[in-house]
Amino acid sequence: MSLSAKEKVIVKDFFAKVSSRSDEIGAEALARLIVVYPQTKSYFAHWKDLSPNGAPVRKHGITVMGGVYEAVSKIDDLAGGLLTLSELHAFVLRVDPVNFKILSHCIMVVLSMLFAEEFTPQIHVAVDKFLALVALALAEKYR
Amino acid sequence: MVQWTDFERATIQSVFEKMDYDDVGPAALSRCLVVYPWTQRYFGNFGNLYNAAAIQGNPMVAAHGKTVLHGLDRAVKNMDDIKATYAELSVLHSEKLHVDPDNFRLLADCLTIVVAARMGAAFTADVQGAFQKFLAVVVSSLGKQYH
C-alpha cells in the first residue's frame, strides 16, 4: 500500500496547511494517547508528571510531531530518511510497534477535530496511508 | 460484565443525544468505504462506488449509514448488557452477511473521526476515551457469535 504521486502531494499540502498548529496537534495527540490508551504510559514511567496537560507530555508531543514533519520532508524515501529515528526506536526506546498505529489514530482524531472541513475522506485516506508507512519505516531496524 | 463509570454513562448518552444521525451515519459509512476501500466488498449492489465523490453522493450508502448508526441505539439504551443485546445481530453479520468482524473496528474508527469533527473541542480526551470504550464493547459483542 504505497503512496501514489497524487497522494504524496495531498499529504505534503495538507501538512503544510496545518503546520502553524503543529505543536498543538502533537501535544493534543500525545495527551489523548495516554488518556485513551493508558497502557502507553508504561513508556513514560520516568516522568514525574504524567498528566495529559502537563509540561512533559506537551513537550514530547511537540517532539513527536516534529518527527512526523521530518517524515513529510522525506516522503520519497521514508525507510532511508528515517533510518536514525528507526535505530533510536529499535535499540534505545524499544517501543512496541503496535503503538505507532494507536498514535497515528490519535493524530488523525486531532486533525479531524481541529480541521473538520479540511480533513475530508480523500485526505484522511492519504494521511492514514502515510502514517502507516512512517510506522513501517520506524520499525525497519527492529529485527 | 463491563463496568461503566458515571462519567462514561453520561458521556455516551450525551454524545448520542446531540448527534445528527442523518449527517453522522452517512458520513461515517462513506468515509469507511473511501479510507478502507476493501470494505466495499459488502456493497456490490449499491451501484456507483468508483471514487470518493461517487461514494459520498451515493443514496444507498447514505441510507445504510443511517441504518447502521441507529443500530447503535440499542447499545446506548442497554449499556449494561451490550453482549446480549447484540447476540442476534452478531449471528446475522456472521451467518447471513458474512462480514469479517475486523470491519466493525474499521467503521468504529471512522465514526470516531466523524464525531470528533462534529464535536470539535467538546470531544476532549476523556470523552474520546468513553466513546472508544463504548464502541470497543459494541465491536466485541458483534463479533461474539462468530464461529
Side-chain angles (χ1 to χ4, degrees):
Chain A
M1 286 194 279
S2 49
L3 288 165
S4 67
K6 186 164 167 229
E7 284 167 334
K8 286 183 189 176
V9 171
I10 289 175
V11 169
K12 284 196 277 204
D13 284 352
F14 179 75
F15 276 98
K17 190 187 270 194
V18 308
S19 63
S20 61
R21 292 175 83 177
S22 66
D23 284 359
E24 192 186 343
I25 297 168
E28 191 58 44
L30 200 71
R32 270 150 207 279
L33 181 77
I34 64 170
V35 168
V36 180
Y37 304 94
Q39 70 274 13
T40 58
K41 287 192 287 192
S42 62
Y43 292 100
F44 306 113
H46 55 286
W47 288 347
K48 275 188 214 78
D49 177 11
L50 266 173
S51 58
N53 294 309
V57 171
R58 297 200 71 82
K59 179 163 171 264
H60 196 62
I62 292 171
T63 301
V64 168
M65 207 60 201
V68 172
Y69 270 86
E70 196 188 325
V72 175
S73 74
K74 311 244 167 91
I75 202 167
D76 288 314
D77 179 19
L78 286 172
L82 298 180
L83 198 61
T84 315
L85 270 176
S86 179
E87 283 170 351
L88 176 73
H89 285 76
F91 304 128
V92 180
L93 303 175
R94 287 176 289 199
V95 174
D96 190 310
V98 72
N99 296 288
F100 301 149
K101 209 180 241 197
I102 297 175
L103 180 59
S104 296
H105 172 72
C106 289
I107 290 173
M108 287 190 289
V109 168
V110 173
L111 290 174
S112 182
M113 263 178 57
L114 297 179
F115 305 99
E117 297 280 312
E118 294 89 335
F119 198 62
T120 60
Q122 296 92 314
I123 293 196
H124 178 168
V125 62
V127 171
D128 189 283
K129 280 173 75 173
F130 168 69
L131 291 175
L133 289 167
V134 171
L136 212 57
L138 280 178
E140 184 67 31
K141 289 291 172 193
Y142 270 58
R143 55 176 174 174
Chain B
M1 220 193 69
V2 182
Q3 303 297 334
W4 302 101
T5 64
D6 290 340
F7 172 80
E8 287 165 345
R9 287 180 194 276
T11 297
I12 296 306
Q13 298 309 310
S14 163
V15 168
F16 280 89
E17 244 157 60
K18 296 195 177 82
M19 198 183 284
D20 179 356
Y21 282 63
D22 289 349
D23 162 42
V24 171
L29 184 62
S30 58
R31 188 168 285 254
C32 190
L33 296 172
V34 170
V35 178
Y36 309 109
W38 53 93
T39 57
Q40 292 168 27
R41 75 190 301 283
Y42 302 108
F43 303 106
N45 62 333
F46 271 31
N48 187 356
L49 297 178
Y50 297 135
N51 53 45
I55 292 170
Q56 288 170 263
N58 187 311
M60 287 180 83
V61 170
H64 195 63
K66 289 180 208 173
T67 301
V68 168
L69 193 58
H70 277 293
L72 290 178
D73 287 341
R74 281 193 290 156
V76 174
K77 293 190 179 65
N78 291 294
M79 284 176 69
D80 286 314
D81 202 356
I82 294 177
K83 197 166 77 176
T85 303
Y86 281 147
E88 237 182 88
L89 263 180
S90 179
V91 171
L92 175 80
H93 282 77
S94 165
E95 310 282 296
K96 187 150 173 279
L97 304 174
H98 306 293
V99 177
D100 180 333
D102 194 58
N103 290 281
F104 306 145
R105 191 184 52 82
L106 298 178
L107 181 58
D109 280 352
C110 284
L111 183 58
T112 301
I113 298 256
V114 170
V115 169
R118 299 299 182 270
M119 288 183 66
F123 198 65
T124 63
D126 289 325
V127 168
Q128 182 184 345
F131 191 69
Q132 288 196 201
K133 178 176 167 179
F134 172 75
L135 289 180
V137 174
V138 168
V139 165
S140 166
S141 304
L142 279 174
K144 259 292 179 294
Q145 303 304 323
Y146 280 65
H147 64 96

